[in-house]
Amino acid sequence: QVHLVESGGGLVQPGESLTLSCVASGFIFRDYIVGWYRQAPGKERELVVSTNGDGVIESAHFARGRFRISRDNDNNELSLKMDYLEPADTAVYYCAAHDAVSQNHSWGQGTRVTVSS
């Protein structure tokens, strides 16, 4: 069974930085597309940034220049480094894994990020 566990969320002030992490198990990590999504209150879940096993990255416009993804295939870990956070970034952030063959998605439990003064 695919298992994804996020951590690192919390309360930060505008302009500050935060790093989220995701530990994966139960599948061959390097063979999957992995990434981060977020869902703000009352809104749909949206892609933040993702990467495949060859280092190809897709990212949302709001993430460019501020958010960076890091993939450690040796330790089955995924990180999201977020800089210059603003209130609009307030959301629950989810780690995700995608199997391109089966088209199945797996999700972590989410970690909440609140950006406020």
Side-chain angles (χ1 to χ4, degrees):
Q1 296 290 326
V2 174
H3 192 218
L4 304 168
V5 180
E6 305 98 329
S7 63
L11 174 64
V12 296
Q13 297 184 25
E16 293 185 340
S17 299
L18 194 66
T19 299
L20 308 180
S21 64
C22 171
V23 178
S25 62
F27 64 103
I28 304 175
F29 185 78
R30 65 176 65 249
D31 292 343
Y32 277 66
I33 298 171
V34 294
W36 294 91
Y37 288 71
R38 73 182 189 185
Q39 186 168 21
K43 297 184 178 180
E44 297 181 351
R45 188 175 301 184
E46 62 182 345
L47 172 70
V48 178
V49 60
S50 66
T51 180
N52 68 10
D54 296 323
V56 178
I57 297 174
E58 294 187 10
S59 64
H61 178 74
F62 65 79
R64 297 171 186 174
R66 297 195 301 133
F67 297 175
R68 298 185 301 279
I69 193 169
S70 180
R71 180 174 186 163
D72 184 350
N73 289 327
D74 292 331
N75 294 302
N76 294 346
E77 295 182 353
L78 187 72
S79 297
L80 179 66
K81 178 63 162 45
M82 303 185 291
D83 295 324
Y84 306 105
L85 286 163
E86 55 191 50
D89 296 317
T90 296
V92 176
Y93 285 72
Y94 297 90
C95 181
H98 176 70
D99 185 341
V101 176
S102 67
Q103 296 295 302
N104 289 333
H105 280 277
S106 297
W107 304 94
Q109 83 287 352
T111 184
R112 182 178 297 276
V113 174
T114 302
V115 185
S116 176
S117 298

